[in-house]
Amino acid sequence: MHLHKARETARACRRVASGTHSEIVYLGCEGDWGLVYTAALVSASRLFGHQVLLHHHSFSYIDSPSRLMNAIVTAGGNQLRHIFLCGTMRERFESRYGEVPHSHIVSNAAFVETPSRQQSSAAPGPIRIGLLSNLTREKGLYTFIELLRRLKSCNLNVEGLLAGPIIQQKDRDMVAAAEDELEGVLQYLGPLYGEDKNHFYHQIDVFVFPTEYANEAQPTVLFEALAAGASVIAFDRGCIGVQIKESGMLIPISEDFCTRACEYLAHLMQRPRDRANLRTRIKQNFDDARALALASVRGLISPEATRA
């Protein structure tokens, strides 16, 4: 994989070298060892007089110091412009690498389409919780199953829907065993796309996202859930706190996810008439966030904009 990536990076550096002077080079900033390739492209771009627009999608080099990122910031100099996903990302980046004079905030909400309006599950009835992702332990698969076990043991009227690909055979076996164990409380729907995915978000009341992924920044799946009016329970990683705000529960990574999630869901179940109103508020909150994000995208092409 790295050999292929190195060849692609060398090809991109050649294109940078052959470009017209003072072009703008847009780069999606990779995490972990992917920063080696980002550093090479930033250095090549600056060597040939190009400005660089660096779009950050990872918290790995923000949560932990990175010599490679230090090298990128140094190589880019004053011609390096940054795109951050949220204010928290920018603040934490600057606290580690110094003030960034040229930056923009563009939320991933700009790239999530407002779904076609569908009839959502109506209260009263069981609360449906869901997780849609590449289903792995890192992305919260095992914690989601454990949460359903605890909810069932508390006799809470909850159903769980899982969607997304499962690559590892041991994970597929675990999900199959859990479906049998939980007797209709859990249903695995497989990978979903297009309108099927849209329907999934409208079926659920709460999107549960106990991610432990180190590079987690601003997951698109959370915006997709919020766009459909589902509230979110998630670990506090990356920009997730800015995404959720009052549209769910944010759980510190040092706390027990299942305990806190059970408390939230039990409270939600006690107020069935509030669930429809909550969906409406969450949808409106997302629409407002998307409008702001789209305005930020338009601001990127404004030549006088340096810090938005």
Side-chain angles (χ1 to χ4, degrees):
M1 184 180 76
H2 281 288
L3 180 60
H4 172 75
K5 189 70 175 179
R7 287 173 177 168
E8 291 297 311
T9 301
R11 185 177 295 112
C13 286
R14 288 195 295 270
R15 291 184 63 184
V16 165
S18 63
T20 305
H21 185 73
S22 295
E23 288 185 344
I24 295 178
V25 177
Y26 171 87
L27 297 174
C29 189
E30 301 192 42
D32 300 323
W33 286 105
L35 285 175
V36 171
Y37 309 114
T38 301
L41 286 164
V42 169
S43 298
S45 300
R46 292 303 302 124
L47 179 64
F48 292 97
H50 305 308
Q51 294 185 30
V52 178
L53 195 57
L54 192 63
H55 200 161
H56 297 275
H57 295 282
S58 171
F59 265 75
S60 64
Y61 48 82
I62 295 176
D63 290 334
S64 301
S66 167
R67 292 181 180 179
L68 283 168
M69 181 51 70
N70 268 318
I72 289 169
V73 171
T74 301
N78 289 330
Q79 295 302 308
L80 181 62
R81 295 166 60 192
H82 299 260
I83 302 176
F84 297 106
L85 298 173
C86 66
T88 299
M89 188 182 221
R90 179 164 66 187
E91 290 166 10
R92 291 179 57 187
F93 184 92
E94 289 185 323
S95 70
R96 194 171 290 284
Y97 299 105
E99 184 178 354
V100 174
H102 308 296
S103 67
H104 307 266
I105 294 176
V106 178
S107 165
N108 283 337
F111 313 111
V112 174
E113 294 292 331
T114 302
S116 58
R117 300 302 181 187
Q118 297 185 10
Q119 184 65 39
S120 301
S121 58
I127 289 181
R128 290 195 179 97
I129 66 173
L131 169 62
L132 185 152
S133 182
N134 292 317
L135 296 173
T136 64
R137 182 180 292 275
E138 259 191 329
K139 286 290 188 175
L141 172 61
Y142 285 68
T143 304
F144 183 87
I145 300 296
E146 178 59 27
L147 174 60
L148 283 174
R149 290 192 181 104
R150 293 204 199 178
L151 292 167
K152 184 181 178 183
S153 70
C154 294
N155 295 316
L156 291 176
N157 190 15
V158 175
E159 296 176 356
L161 299 179
L162 271 176
I166 306 177
I167 304 302
Q168 298 292 329
Q169 183 61 48
K170 63 178 181 179
D171 296 336
R172 289 196 293 270
D173 292 342
M174 187 277 294
V175 169
E179 283 188 286
D180 291 337
E181 171 196 347
L182 293 168
E183 299 179 299
V185 173
L186 171 66
Q187 183 180 5
Y188 173 54
L189 304 174
L192 300 178
Y193 305 97
E195 282 303 310
D196 290 334
K197 183 169 72 168
N198 186 19
H199 181 62
F200 168 86
Y201 289 121
H202 282 86
Q203 278 185 290
I204 63 174
D205 299 289
V206 182
F207 190 88
V208 176
F209 197 61
T211 177
E212 299 176 15
Y213 181 48
N215 290 327
E216 204 73 76
Q218 194 181 57
T220 302
V221 289
L222 297 193
F223 280 131
E224 291 173 343
L226 294 170
S231 56
V232 174
I233 306 174
F235 267 137
D236 185 7
R237 292 185 177 275
C239 292
I240 290 176
V242 178
Q243 286 181 276
I244 296 176
K245 295 182 179 177
E246 68 274 16
S247 298
M249 170 179 274
L250 189 69
I251 300 176
I253 58 176
S254 60
E255 297 189 11
D256 182 79
F257 186 93
C258 292
T259 298
R260 295 293 308 279
C262 284
E263 293 170 357
Y264 179 87
L265 292 166
H267 175 76
L268 195 63
M269 186 164 290
Q270 291 169 3
R271 305 172 67 90
R273 294 184 178 180
D274 290 349
R275 283 158 59 183
N277 292 334
L278 179 61
R279 275 201 105 91
T280 300
R281 291 199 304 272
I282 291 172
K283 289 177 184 178
Q284 186 58 57
N285 289 342
F286 168 78
D287 289 342
D288 293 343
R290 184 170 185 267
L292 183 61
L294 289 171
S296 298
V297 171
R298 290 190 289 269
L300 281 175
I301 62 175
S302 174
E304 68 274 8
T306 58
R307 187 178 178 95

